[in-house]
Amino acid sequence: MLRNTKSRNSWKRQLSPMLLMLLVILGSGGSIPMPSVSAAESYSFVAKWGSHGAGDGQFSSPGGIAVDSSDNVYVADEGNTRVQKLSFTGKFLTKWGNFGTGIQFGPADIAVDSSGNVYVADYHNDRIQKFSSTGELLAEWGSEGSGDGQFAPGPTSVAVDSSNNVYVADTLNNRIQKFSSTGKFLTKWGVGSGGGEQSISAYIAVDSSNNVYVTDLDSHIQKYSSTGEFLAKWGSEGSGDGQLASGHNNIAVDSSDNVYVADRNNNRIQKFSSTGEFLTKWGSEGSSDGQFSQPRGVAVDSSGNVYVADSGNHRIQKFSSTGEFLTKWGEKGSGEGQFATLNGIAVDSSGNVYVADMLNDGIQKFSPTGGD
């Protein structure tokens, strides 16, 4: 049974860019000169799947999206309160969940571990659920509250490290909680806004050393060890170098542990070292190459290229790790290669890009080589 529905829905509306995952941008700084796009840098539309509905392969407000090591695609089909699994070609494979309790949920975020198990932040039921890659329920933990292993009013973001430990943004308890892959409570940290304290958290990312990076609504990024030891904090409210506009700022980490932040209300991307040293920024408000309008998502591929879900401009933009504009695609609409409201974005091992489009109730796939 749901509890505090009015309060939940109010917070959910405020946090919806985060809950719709995926998902995760650029601001008032000077723009970087951008070279023209060459043919070698173009992306091709490969496939589109989904339509509004509750049938297999249909969606209602798809948000969070994740890809496993075999390039299967998992979608948090929020409006239908379920997860759907698709092959990299878009073939429907399986689904699980519906509204309620038991093997039922309101999926807010989704993550996949190295064994292909799927973790779902079940916002409505104050818990994390773990499933096999085929949808078999393996474990669940959590309830409403502020004790160890409890969430208030529900977990909003989930991430998994290389040892398959699970980190959860317990947003309204102002903390991060860490669990084993079976749901055993391991540690927690946060509460407050000082160093090592955590105000309302928004997004989580984990680097190659299992350090944890957290953005909060107070324009900070904090870094912790995997045991919760406070390591660094940077950021303040503003539009200068290293400053962030308050709000839901998404975050991604590359293979060299550089940190990319979607400084959404400043309409820019900022790049930092793993210790918080400001490295570079790019973007400003607008619709030209390298400009943004309220982007919601950021992802990094194995080569360090950065993909931005430029939501207000209804497009994806790709940049090098230094902010050099490489290419873009998309426009407003409901056809192939068109978008209404961009939410989740993910990149697979071959560099294919998957995009969840909430208002068009579909997933689109793009390939740097023209498709499979």
Side-chain angles (χ1 to χ4, degrees):
M1 179 178 295
L2 298 183
R3 300 170 296 280
N4 299 328
T5 302
K6 183 176 180 181
S7 175
R8 290 170 186 279
N9 290 341
S10 174
W11 273 105
K12 188 175 179 181
R13 283 193 296 270
Q14 295 179 49
L15 295 169
S16 59
M18 171 180 59
L19 302 181
L20 297 171
M21 233 330 314
L22 153 130
L23 28 199
V24 68
I25 320 204
L26 302 171
S28 56
S31 59
I32 298 174
M34 302 300 179
S36 60
V37 179
S38 67
E41 294 170 334
S42 64
Y43 271 66
S44 299
F45 171 82
V46 176
K48 177 183 179 181
W49 56 89
S51 60
H52 181 73
D56 294 350
Q58 292 185 308
F59 301 98
S60 177
S61 300
I65 188 168
V67 181
D68 67 18
S69 59
S70 298
D71 294 341
N72 295 305
V73 182
Y74 300 83
V75 182
D77 184 8
E78 187 178 8
N80 285 322
T81 60
R82 66 185 181 184
V83 169
Q84 294 198 65
K85 177 183 178 181
L86 308 142
S87 73
F88 66 90
T89 62
K91 178 183 177 182
F92 172 79
L93 298 177
T94 190
K95 66 182 178 183
W96 60 91
N98 53 57
F99 189 77
T101 58
I103 309 179
Q104 305 167 332
F105 44 28
D109 195 19
I110 191 168
V112 182
D113 70 18
S114 60
S115 299
N117 297 307
V118 181
Y119 301 82
V120 179
D122 182 2
Y123 180 82
H124 287 299
N125 290 311
D126 307 301
R127 66 186 177 187
I128 299 295
Q129 288 188 296
K130 176 184 178 180
F131 300 89
S132 71
S133 61
T134 60
E136 176 189 1
L137 178 66
L138 301 177
E140 64 181 4
W141 61 93
S143 60
E144 185 175 9
S146 58
D148 294 349
Q150 293 184 310
F151 307 102
T156 55
S157 184
V158 60
V160 183
D161 68 20
S162 61
S163 299
N164 294 339
N165 295 304
V166 182
Y167 302 86
V168 181
D170 184 10
T171 299
L172 294 186
N173 278 326
N174 302 315
R175 65 185 182 183
I176 303 299
Q177 295 196 65
K178 178 183 177 181
F179 302 88
S180 72
S181 61
T182 60
K184 179 183 177 181
F185 173 80
L186 299 177
T187 190
K188 64 183 178 183
W189 62 88
V191 183
S193 58
E197 299 177 324
Q198 191 65 56
S199 61
I200 296 176
S201 54
Y203 292 93
I204 309 175
V206 181
D207 69 17
S208 62
S209 300
N210 294 338
N211 296 306
V212 181
Y213 302 82
V214 184
T215 62
D216 63 33
L217 300 189
D218 291 332
S219 307
H220 300 133
I221 301 165
Q222 296 202 54
K223 177 183 178 180
Y224 304 88
S225 72
S226 62
T227 60
E229 178 189 0
F230 172 74
L231 299 177
K233 175 182 177 181
W234 64 91
S236 59
E237 187 170 3
S239 59
D241 293 352
Q243 293 184 309
L244 303 167
S246 62
H248 306 282
N249 297 314
N250 211 326
I251 189 169
V253 181
D254 68 19
S255 59
S256 299
D257 297 340
N258 295 304
V259 180
Y260 300 83
V261 179
D263 187 5
R264 194 170 90 181
N265 290 327
N266 278 328
N267 293 300
R268 65 184 180 184
I269 295 290
Q270 295 198 67
K271 179 181 178 180
F272 301 89
S273 72
S274 62
T275 59
E277 177 189 1
F278 172 79
L279 298 178
T280 190
K281 66 181 179 183
W282 64 91
S284 60
E285 184 175 6
S287 59
S288 298
D289 294 350
Q291 291 186 311
F292 301 94
S293 176
Q294 289 287 298
R296 291 188 176 186
V298 61
V300 184
D301 67 21
S302 59
S303 299
N305 297 306
V306 182
Y307 302 80
V308 181
D310 185 6
S311 185
N313 287 321
H314 311 284
R315 66 186 181 183
I316 302 297
Q317 295 197 67
K318 178 182 177 181
F319 302 87
S320 72
S321 61
T322 59
E324 176 189 2
F325 173 80
L326 299 177
T327 192
K328 65 182 179 183
W329 65 92
E331 60 183 6
K332 185 176 182 179
S334 58
E336 296 179 355
Q338 295 180 319
F339 306 106
T341 300
L342 292 164
N343 286 317
I345 182 170
V347 186
D348 70 17
S349 61
S350 299
N352 298 304
V353 180
Y354 302 84
V355 183
D357 186 351
M358 181 181 72
L359 292 185
N360 281 330
D361 297 304
I363 305 298
Q364 295 195 57
K365 176 183 177 180
F366 302 87
S367 171
T369 57
D372 302 292

